[in-house]
Amino acid sequence: MRTWISLALLVALLVACAVPTGSPLPTATPRPAVERPVVTLMTHDSFAVSESLVQQFEAETGATWKILKAGDAGSALNQAILSKDNPLADVFFGVDNTFFGRAIAADIFEPYEAPGLAEIPDELELDPEHRLLPVDFGYVCLNYDKAYFAEKGLAVPQTLEDLTKPEYKGLLVVENPATSSPGLSFLITTVAYFGEEGYLDFWRKLRENDVYVTDGWEDAYYGQFSGGSGEGTRPLVVSYATSPAAEVYFSEQPLDESPTGNILPEGGSFRQIEFVGILKGAKQPELARKLVDFMLSRAFQEDIPLQMWVYPANPNAALPEVFTKFAQVPAAPAQISPAAIDAGREKWIEAWTTTVLR
C-alpha cells in the first residue's frame, strides 16, 4: 500500500514538473556569442608591458591584445619576413637599427604617420616613409664588477684597447653577434671604433686574451658575469648602460650605489633604437593603428623603463627615479649609419665567427 501511495505521489510530482501552469515561464532567446576582435603584436622575447596597460588598451578598444613572442629580435624579424604572404600578426615591435635595413628591404610594413610622432625627436626617426616608428632606445656598453676591481686593486679598463692587455686576460664575457642583439651591437661598435681595417685585429687580440663568448645576454650576465646579480667569475661583460640601475631596483636590500658600473669610452657604446610597424596584410588594420598609437602614448612610454630597462622615445615621458639616479647616457656613442650596418652586417658576423670561434 505504501508503495502505491509513493508511486502516486511520484507521478503527481512528475506531472507538476512537466506541465506548465499559470503564466508561461519566460524563455531566454539564444544570443550569439559576441567575439572580441583580436589584434596581435609579434615581438621578441624581451618585450614586457604592465598588465594594467594591456587592460587599458583592451577597455578603450573593446579588442583583445594578443602578444606573440618569437625569439630574439633577429629570429622574430626573420619569422615576420618568412610569413609576409600570410602574416602571423598585425603589428611587429622590436626591429632595431642593427636590422633596420633588412626590415625595410623586405617590404613588410605599411606606412603610418602616427600622431604621437610629433613628440619624438627627429634623430630617432630613421624612416621618412613612417613604416617603422621609434618606440624606445638604450645603450649597449661594457659593465664591470666594482667589488672585483676594488679587491684586486686593479684599475678599471678605460678604453676598448685596454681589454686586450695582459692584466685583463680572462676577465671579459661577450655575446655571440650571430645569436644576440647586444652581441651584434657590440660587434658593430668595434667596427665603428676601429674601422673595417682594424676591428678584426682587436678581436684576434681579445681571443688571445681569453675572451669568453656566450650565445645570449642572459647567460653572459647572470651565468658568467661576477657583478651584481651575476653568478659567474668574469668581472667584465657586454650589457646595457641601464644595467647598474636595474641592479639597484631589484636588490633585496636598499642600495645607495650600484654594485656594477659602466665603461663608456668615446665611441665605445652603441645606441640601439627599437621600432614598431604595421605589417602588410594585417587582419585588423584599424586596431593595428590604434595599438601603434597606444605604444607611442605617454602612458605606454612611461611604462617602458621599468619593464624593458630602456629609455622611452618620447622625451616628455617621465623617467623613474632609479633611472635618473643610477642610469647613464653615454656622451659619445658609436657613429654608424643603418645603411652602413645593412651593407656590412652579414660579412662582419661571418668574419667575426671565423676569427673568434674557429
Side-chain angles (χ1 to χ4, degrees), residues 8-339:
L9 286 172
L10 177 60
V11 170
L13 285 171
L14 289 172
V15 169
C17 291
V19 179
T21 58
S23 300
L25 294 173
T27 56
T29 302
R31 300 169 63 181
V34 178
E35 291 188 6
R36 292 164 60 92
V38 177
V39 61
T40 302
L41 174 72
M42 190 174 185
T43 185
H44 51 62
D45 288 347
S46 299
F47 176 81
V49 58
S50 294
E51 181 59 29
S52 60
L53 286 184
V54 174
Q55 293 172 0
Q56 179 182 332
F57 175 80
E58 292 183 339
E60 291 175 355
T61 61
T64 296
W65 178 1
K66 179 181 176 182
I67 297 172
L68 176 62
K69 295 188 175 182
D72 64 25
S75 298
L77 177 60
N78 286 340
Q79 290 186 56
I81 293 172
L82 292 172
S83 60
K84 61 185 295 185
D85 294 331
N86 186 22
L88 303 173
D90 302 289
V91 177
F92 186 94
F93 168 77
V95 174
D96 68 16
N97 42 333
T98 66
F99 286 107
F100 183 87
R102 178 187 291 180
I104 291 296
D107 192 27
I108 60 174
F109 294 106
E110 293 278 3
Y112 176 53
E113 189 170 0
L117 286 174
E119 293 190 53
I120 293 178
D122 291 344
E123 65 180 27
L124 298 179
E125 295 188 45
L126 303 186
D127 179 19
E129 297 182 31
H130 307 298
R131 290 161 294 184
L132 287 172
L133 292 68
V135 173
D136 63 53
F137 64 96
Y139 296 93
V140 174
C141 67
L142 292 164
N143 283 185
Y144 69 97
D145 176 358
K146 290 181 178 178
Y148 177 92
F149 286 94
E151 290 168 4
K152 300 292 182 182
L154 183 62
V156 176
Q158 297 299 308
T159 67
L160 298 188
E161 292 90 335
D162 284 348
L163 299 172
T164 64
K165 294 179 177 177
E167 56 265 41
Y168 302 112
K169 185 170 185 175
L171 302 189
L172 174 64
V173 56
V174 304
E175 300 87 358
N176 186 334
T179 55
S180 163
S181 177
L184 178 57
S185 295
F186 187 60
L187 170 61
I188 293 170
T189 299
T190 64
V191 174
Y193 189 92
F194 294 103
E196 287 209 62
E197 68 286 353
Y199 80 100
L200 287 177
D201 285 340
F202 167 73
W203 281 102
R204 286 190 191 95
K205 292 175 182 176
L206 274 189
R207 179 176 180 171
E208 292 169 1
N209 222 26
D210 192 26
V211 64
Y212 189 85
V213 180
T214 70
D215 284 341
W217 176 86
E218 190 166 326
D219 180 50
Y221 196 87
Y222 294 118
Q224 307 301 327
F225 182 47
S226 62
S229 52
E231 297 180 348
T233 58
R234 296 190 174 231
L236 295 168
V237 66
V238 171
S239 189
Y240 293 88
T242 48
S243 297
E247 290 288 353
V248 174
Y249 184 78
F250 290 109
S251 173
E252 293 181 359
Q253 303 296 327
L255 296 177
D256 296 325
E257 180 184 351
S258 176
T260 65
N262 293 316
I263 300 172
L264 302 171
E266 182 176 348
S269 59
F270 182 82
R271 185 173 68 176
Q272 192 178 40
I273 309 169
E274 288 192 300
F275 302 86
V276 67
I278 298 171
L279 290 165
K280 286 187 173 180
K283 296 180 178 64
Q284 299 287 350
E286 183 60 32
L287 283 171
R289 287 188 283 274
K290 289 182 178 178
L291 181 55
V292 170
D293 289 344
F294 189 74
M295 294 179 73
L296 297 183
S297 70
R298 196 72 63 85
F300 186 91
Q301 290 282 296
E302 292 183 348
D303 190 58
I304 286 173
L306 296 183
Q307 291 296 323
M308 294 191 279
W309 291 91
V310 289
Y311 292 88
N314 187 335
N316 298 316
L319 292 174
E321 185 182 29
V322 71
F323 262 58
T324 58
K325 290 181 66 175
F326 299 104
Q328 285 182 283
V329 175
Q335 297 295 320
I336 186 167
S337 71

